[in-house]
Amino acid sequence: MSKSLSYLLTFVMSLALFEVSAQDISKYKFLAYGALPAWTGVAVDWSTTSKVYIYDPKETRGHAEFVNKKLGRTITFKQFKTLASISKTRQYLPFFVYDLSAKPYMVSDKKYTYAIRVEDYSYDDTPASMTSSIQKLTQLISTTYKQFKGKPLIVLNTKEKHILSQKVLAPLLLKQQLQSVTAMNLIKHFNGFKVEVLNEVVAVGRLVYVKNEKNLTELSSKDIAIFEHIPERVPPLAGIITLEPQTPLSHVNLLAKNRKTLNVSLTSLSDWPELKAKIGQIVEINPKFQKLIIKTVTSDYAAKFWKNNQPQKVNIPNPELTFESTIPLNKHFKQYQKVNLIGAKANNYALIHELLGEEYVLPAYAIGFKPYMDLLAQGADKEINFFLSKKSTLNKSDRQKALARIRSVIAKSTPSVAMLESLRGILNKYYAGKKVKLRSSTNCEDLPQFNGAGLYTSKGFNVADNDKVLAEKITKVYASLWNDEAFEEREYFGIDHKKVAMAILVSPAFVDEYANGVILVTPHEKSGNVDVLVNTQPGENEVANPKKNDKPEAFLVGQNGVVSSVKSHSNIGKVFIGNEQASLLLKVLRINAIKVHQALMNRQKESGDKQLYSTDIEFKVIKNTDGQYFLYFKQARLLRNHILPE
């Protein structure tokens, strides 16, 4: 193609786009931050004959892609960023427009029906030059798109020394009669996050509405399920959408992280009309770049996407069957503290016990894999082998029947006398008159590449009960290795079921706890800094598996234990926020959480794995009769796909 023809085509494309700009752009609207109706656009030829385009985010997923595909300018994203960020050579200025017409925002007795935000591209502008650029952009937008009448609000951030911060720009903008607002204040004005993206992954699948638990058996890994109510277990899916609020550290979201599955919560289908209209269709949902875009796709497109995005096969450690006695999880028995002998949960517990000491981690014990494998020899092994040889020929209903038979045979089997005597000796010596927790500790959970959150069963045991009750509790934990959901999750990740084995972590039970919670330590990709996010609820009200509409107390803990950012308040009661005595624990909570994260990361690096992970830590708070608060850590594991970009 000649240069002259290329220029002509580009000119024609530009004219066509300019005609569109004068027409209805309502179909280009999307939901930003889960709450704000918005458009995305870009100013081009900034230093010469400037123009602005608001474009369809379903057709192009970013500003640079729009410039390439729709304007015919062949540049890379890196080149686009340079041509936007450097003020002297600027050609592009990307932006967002927020539609406030449904609920105008008031500032100094004046109503604002729209707001403009300049997308952050690490600009080198001075405050004065950025103010001039924003002023120019507002004029271009209001001139090009007649529906934007009057002056807009300018959306700024709250960072200390950022070129787009309120502290830097608000006074200068005010001199130009431009009022500013933060994105968070706009979100609050629109009653918070109506749509919350908890795991930001592109999803392709058949959009299915699930009214109740009975419909779960009909779902496949090629479905994007809209759940009216959050199920206790979510099978492998292409995407998860719930019509009830979730927490970032819930088991549903941890499973979504592990599976690399889209996870979104809505307050109502009416908050996302496009979603409701596409139920039953094969769609692509793209939540990236603070936009939530849904479009119908062909079956061929979906098949190609699924082929290119198959889950990576997970290899698990081979179980060692060399130790039958109950193992103390302290530094004197370190030679027995390894995943392929006592499972990942018990192995991680041993690490945090040695790291933090008994002031923060109570003494515990482990039953290794050998007693479980010995018990299978009473008949369950034959059921398992037969099932695994036929599983590829069975439908879901028949698989569930076979798994139920396996669990039944295990539950009717008898643990070895040697193991029961060893465990009973420990229980009578250290836990007489108390209760303990018999917790699953497999070689296929709490692994960095496979967390298996909530797949297996744990049981409480009163030490005053007899050995028959103890044996029944142990076999129920053993049988849970073959829960329907556990099998399907392992199958989804290509785990070899012949290698799976169950050990048990024996730890003190917490009675009358003041609060429970989950900590997420998340590293920043480049700086090495971390965020420490706390989700907590009073008493035994669950954070990982919350009841309908329960919201935890959620906040970031900064230096010296200061609450730096509140995400939500508990609907049940206060834990740390507003409780001066309890909040004194936050400093040591942050210090110890970071210690645990670093220790788990160091151990992973020593194994040859150089990836960055986050760390998920469960904790309890106890309040004694004197009103003193005590903090205990009960579990820790690495999580993948949860890293903060910079």
Side-chain angles (χ1 to χ4, degrees), residues 332-507:
H332 303 297
F333 290 82
K334 289 190 73 169
Q335 69 269 36
Y336 303 112
Q337 294 163 12
K338 46 189 178 180
V339 175
N340 52 0
L341 188 63
I342 60 173
K345 187 175 291 168
N347 189 47
N348 289 348
Y349 193 99
L351 181 146
I352 65 172
H353 178 268
E354 182 179 358
L355 181 71
L356 304 181
E358 293 184 9
E359 183 180 359
Y360 298 108
V361 183
L362 297 176
Y365 298 81
I367 302 167
F369 290 132
K370 187 176 188 302
Y372 165 79
M373 299 301 286
D374 288 346
L375 180 138
L376 294 187
Q378 297 175 38
D381 54 353
K382 293 178 182 177
E383 288 283 350
I384 291 169
N385 290 333
F386 180 75
F387 167 64
L388 294 180
S389 70
K390 299 292 183 182
K391 67 181 174 68
S392 61
T393 66
L394 303 177
N395 60 33
K396 196 166 189 177
S397 176
D398 288 337
R399 289 200 303 272
Q400 289 174 344
K401 290 175 184 177
L403 289 164
R405 284 196 298 272
I406 292 170
R407 293 195 299 272
S408 177
V409 173
I410 292 175
K412 292 175 183 176
S413 301
T414 305
S416 73
V417 173
M419 183 270 281
L420 284 175
E421 287 180 349
S422 172
L423 178 58
R424 176 55 79 174
I426 294 292
L427 296 177
N428 289 345
K429 184 174 181 179
Y430 297 107
Y431 301 106
K434 298 179 181 178
K435 294 180 180 180
V436 295
K437 197 84 170 186
L438 304 172
R439 307 181 67 200
S440 68
S441 181
T442 70
N443 58 345
C444 47
E445 66 178 322
D446 291 353
L447 302 171
Q449 66 274 30
F450 185 81
N451 69 61
L455 290 178
Y456 309 109
T457 301
S458 296
K459 289 290 179 180
F461 177 68
N462 188 331
V463 177
D465 288 339
N466 60 35
D467 284 359
K468 181 181 178 183
V469 175
L470 178 60
E472 287 174 354
K473 301 271 184 164
I474 289 170
T475 53
K476 284 180 180 177
V477 177
Y478 283 164
S480 73
L481 189 62
W482 299 96
N483 284 343
D484 296 349
E485 301 86 357
F487 171 81
E488 297 294 347
E489 191 78 11
R490 297 195 302 262
E491 186 76 358
Y492 179 72
F493 282 96
I495 290 174
D496 185 351
H497 301 284
K498 292 181 180 179
K499 291 169 61 176
V500 303
M502 177 72 77
I504 294 177
L505 169 63
V506 184
S507 60

